[in-house]
């Protein structure tokens, strides 16, 4: 049913021993390293059979996961050293590249255990692998940085200059499909401004143009200043039923603009008569 190869096991010959996943209030999996959880390919977070190609849950069905399993007391075989008393069955009974796992289906009251079997790379994808793909896509999905200043051209000393990163919002969200699994990504940004005269600003505001003066700076001395900004994006991704997972690392963007600052010139004009 699940596109896996079931491994036969005489009940008297082996006892299953694995960490039972626990569904926390926020939907995340505990009781097992979340990055060691595998999601059934094509299930979109649950429900569909990977062999059927349906994958039509769009995150609304009961999530289906598999977790590496192991057995104790396999007949005639001693546990492997360093395996905590567990012998991974894939070493002897599963095919090349397959792992022995137990299926779990998410429910309102927690995770419901299912059958055991050998799963290959084409049938399941790990949360760790999904995290790596999400992090790579994040680099290309966050808004581009394009710094500008207002007024453009020369500015007058002690008159605030308005700075704009060209990024309209500090938060963005999108939904992708990874190996047939619906994944929602949420990212947020901070901006670090260096105005080139020794003064800086850290903000969660992207900057803007008049009349928004949230990100502004006035220069006290004449000169040409290199104003720089660094945008830092961090985020999380959510697989239906598994809760929120942190995206490893961050995305940084850098841009700069030159600000020529000068004193205001006084001009004496004759009176009109």
């Amino acid at each position: 049913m699940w596109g896996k190869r079931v491994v036969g096991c005489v009940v008297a010959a082996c006892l299953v021993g694995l960490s039972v996943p626990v569904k926390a209030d926020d939907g995340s999996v505990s009781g097992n390293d979340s990055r060691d959880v595998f999601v059934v390919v094509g299930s979109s977070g649950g429900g569909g059979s990977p062999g059927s190609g349906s994958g039509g849950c769009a995150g609304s069905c009961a999530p289906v996961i598999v977790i590496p399993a192991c057995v104790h007391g396999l007949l005639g075989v001693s546990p492997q050293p360093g395996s905590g008393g567990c012998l991974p069955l894939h070493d002897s009974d599963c095919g090349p590249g397959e792992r022995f796992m137990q299926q779990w289906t998410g429910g309102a009251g927690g995770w419901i255990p299912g059958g055991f079997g050998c799963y290959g790379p084409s049938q399941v994808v790990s949360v760790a692998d999904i995290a790596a793909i999400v992090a790579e896509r994040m680099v290309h999905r966050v808004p581009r940085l394009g710094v500008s200043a207002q007024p453009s051209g020369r500015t007058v000393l002690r008159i605030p200059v308005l700075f704009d990163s060209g990024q309209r919002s500090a938060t963005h969200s999108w939904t992708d499909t990874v190996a047939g699994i619906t994944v929602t990504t949420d990212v947020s940004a901070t901006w670090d401004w260096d105005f080139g005269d020794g003064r800086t600003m850290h903000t969660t505001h992207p900057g803007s143009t008049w009349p928004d003066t949230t990100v502004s700076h006035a220069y006290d001395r004449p000169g040409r200043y290199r104003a720089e900004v660094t945008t830092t994006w961090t985020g999380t991704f959510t697989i239906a039923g598994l809760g929120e997972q942190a995206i490893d690392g961050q995305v940084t963007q850098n841009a700069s603009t030159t600000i020529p600052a000068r004193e205001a010139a006084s001009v004496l004009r004759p009176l009109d008569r």
Side-chain angles (χ1 to χ4, degrees):
M1 174 180 178
W2 291 99
K4 62 178 175 56
R5 185 164 59 85
V6 176
V7 176
C9 178
V10 179
V11 175
C14 59
L15 297 174
V16 174
L18 78 163
S19 179
V20 177
V22 177
K23 201 167 188 178
D25 291 339
D26 63 357
S28 61
V29 173
S30 59
N32 188 287
D33 181 353
S34 62
R35 294 298 169 89
D36 199 30
V37 170
F38 291 73
V39 184
V40 176
V41 170
S43 66
S44 293
S49 169
S52 68
S54 59
C57 288
S60 62
C61 301
V64 178
I65 63 174
V66 289
I67 297 178
C70 54
V71 299
H72 291 285
L74 194 63
L75 286 178
V77 182
S78 299
Q80 296 290 333
S83 63
C86 262
L87 173 67
L89 270 187
H90 72 82
D91 286 346
S92 57
D93 289 337
C94 290
E98 293 181 333
R99 298 187 68 179
F100 184 65
M101 301 184 182
Q102 182 179 17
Q103 177 187 306
W104 297 81
T105 302
W111 292 95
I112 303 170
F116 293 84
C118 296
Y119 290 79
S122 64
Q123 298 159 335
V124 294
V125 59
S126 70
V127 174
D129 287 341
I130 293 175
I133 295 172
V134 169
E136 181 180 353
R137 291 182 180 180
M138 174 179 166
V139 174
H140 306 287
R141 295 295 294 270
V142 295
R144 295 182 60 183
L145 173 63
V147 63
S148 62
Q150 190 183 40
S152 58
R154 293 185 178 182
T155 62
V156 178
L157 298 184
R158 291 173 288 279
I159 300 297
V161 179
L162 309 184
F163 289 91
D164 183 10
S165 69
Q167 296 166 314
R168 299 273 66 87
S169 174
T171 59
H172 288 273
S173 178
W174 60 86
T175 299
D176 282 329
T177 300
V178 179
I181 297 160
T182 301
V183 179
T184 300
T185 304
D186 297 282
V187 297
S188 59
T190 59
W191 289 265
D192 289 281
W193 295 88
D194 183 337
F195 299 111
D197 61 352
R199 285 174 286 184
T200 60
M201 175 187 289
H202 175 81
T203 179
T204 57
H205 191 286
S208 188
T209 55
W210 179 262
D212 188 338
T213 62
T214 304
V215 181
S216 62
H217 179 70
Y219 292 91
D220 297 328
R221 297 181 180 180
R224 291 178 63 84
Y225 298 94
R226 181 181 176 86
E228 300 181 60
V229 61
T230 298
T231 310
T232 303
W233 296 92
T234 57
T236 61
F237 67 96
T238 303
I239 304 171
L242 297 187
E244 194 175 79
Q245 310 279 337
I247 298 175
D248 294 332
Q250 58 190 24
V251 174
T252 58
Q253 302 163 298
N254 300 91
S256 64
T257 186
T258 300
I259 306 296
R262 64 176 183 176
E263 290 279 7
S266 298
V267 179
L268 181 62
R269 298 181 182 276
L271 294 175
D272 292 333
R273 296 183 182 276

